[in-house]
Amino acid sequence: MKVLGIESSCDETAAAVVEDGFRMLSNVVQSQIDIHAHFGGVVPEIAARSHIEAIGPVVDEALAQANCTWDDIDAIAVTYAPGLIGSLLVGSLAARTLAILHRKLLYPVHHVEGHVYANFITEQAPGPVQLALPKFQPRFPLLALIVSGGHTQLVLFRDHGDYQLLGQTQDDAVGEAFDKVAKILGLPYPGGPSIARAAESGNPDRYHLPKAKLDNPYNFSFSGLKTAVLRAVQREVGKDFTFPSHELPGLVTSLQQHDFAASFQKVAVETLVERTLRAFQDFRPQSVVIAGGVAANQELRRQLRQKLPINIEYAPIQLCTDNAAMIAALGYQQARLSTPADPYTLEVVPSLSMSKTAWNKTGAL
Ligand code: KG4
Ligand code: ZN
């Protein structure tokens, strides 16, 4: 079964064709990073307008690269939640229209749950860009650490469409913390890769930053860490807490930038790893996966591989950040196990916890 995936929830316009939920036939991502970098973050109105311009050609390209015509496509899967409303609308309206026009079944996919399914892609059609894919699909029960710009969650999957939220961030997502700390330090957007790069040559023990203590062992909190970095940078450049953060980049030295990046990354990654290990000990899953943009972080990968008592495989970086192959991979499971949406009435939902999707059997604790 060949599923066309469409993703447009934030600042990437993407389409992909995936066969049987694991064989990637094409994966086209048009990023808007260059456009938004100028503003230091995503501007929703500009994102929506760029999606409108890109969506048609991106879908055509995904079909062409997969050597498919519309006759070959069995179903369409589209991100309907969560995300920027204007951005979501462009992808969902395109998918609804194409489903009606070409008489295809339509499946609404939750973006965050979709990130987990990047780990189920184990094969790729021959082509110029070959990714280092995992050799095996994860097994259930499956523990997923989901770490993106908007989410930080530990989720236990009993099966496809049957999962339970164990814990989540109480304030900022970890990716958001990477992005905000990068801004304080004057490192370019998006902050995650910039911090990771700066941290490579920094001293992670130079600045002592706090780890949040929470009652629920699977919950997270990153806003205190971000504020601690802000205060430490202000102190380091000889200013007090009233000094405006946007003037700090002009005062920090390159050495301080690198040491702050390394010290922040160390605490952020250790926090993620500690909570994941705790959940692993408590629930003894068969597999552990990481998902979302921050799963691209090499230090997180290294520490998890070192500390988990089971083997962990990683999706390639290209499938950790936003893409439509992961949406098509999950769409396949929904096509197998649930009923399609009505293309005339499907609505987008800008804010929706993945444990509350219509197709999840378990729901929140
Ligand atoms: O999943 P994603 O592409 O978009 C959302 O759904 O949010 O995640 C984007 C986030 C951004 O906060 C970005 O800074 C972060 O992922 N990120 C990283 C790395 N690459 C991307 N964070 C840490 N280390 C990285 N190498
Ligand atoms: Zn994402």
Side-chain angles (χ1 to χ4, degrees), residues 189-224:
Y189 166 87
S194 303
I195 294 258
R197 223 172 298 122
E200 277 171 26
S201 53
N203 173 3
D205 299 316
R206 169 134 175 231
Y207 301 107
H208 292 282
L209 300 166
K211 264 186 209 159
K213 292 191 180 64
L214 300 162
D215 291 344
N216 176 337
Y218 321 120
N219 275 347
F220 302 90
S221 163
F222 290 102
S223 88

Side-chain angles (χ1 to χ4, degrees), residues 7 9 111 115 148-149 292-293 320-322 326:
E7 155 65 38
S9 64
H111 176 83
H115 269 297
S148 73
C320 287
T321 46
D322 288 350
M326 66 188 196

Side-chain angles (χ1 to χ4, degrees), residues 5 28 32 35 43 59 82 108 122 128 132 145 169-170 182 226 232 249 270 308 339 347:
V28 179
Q32 304 172 7
I35 304 171
V43 183
V59 169
T122 54
L145 171 68
T169 183
Q170 303 299 293
K226 171 203 67 193
E270 277 178 8
L308 271 174
T339 47
E347 304 241 15

Side-chain angles (χ1 to χ4, degrees), residues 207-263:
Y207 301 107
H208 292 282
L209 300 166
K211 264 186 209 159
K213 292 191 180 64
L214 300 162
D215 291 344
N216 176 337
Y218 321 120
N219 275 347
F220 302 90
S221 163
F222 290 102
S223 88
L225 174 60
K226 171 203 67 193
T227 309
V229 173
L230 173 61
R231 297 286 173 257
V233 177
Q234 286 167 325
R235 257 197 319 276
E236 193 70 6
V237 300
K239 303 288 179 188
D240 73 5
F241 69 96
T242 59
F243 189 76
S245 62
H246 65 266
E247 289 183 27
L248 288 170
L251 300 179
V252 284
T253 65
S254 162
L255 183 66
Q256 286 168 336
Q257 248 183 358
H258 289 229
D259 289 348
F260 269 118
S263 303

Side-chain angles (χ1 to χ4, degrees), residues 153-169:
Q153 301 180 327
L154 275 165
V155 181
L156 186 68
F157 285 72
R158 284 185 200 81
D159 204 340
H160 300 293
D162 184 2
Y163 47 84
Q164 172 186 345
L165 183 61
L166 300 179
Q168 61 186 330
T169 183

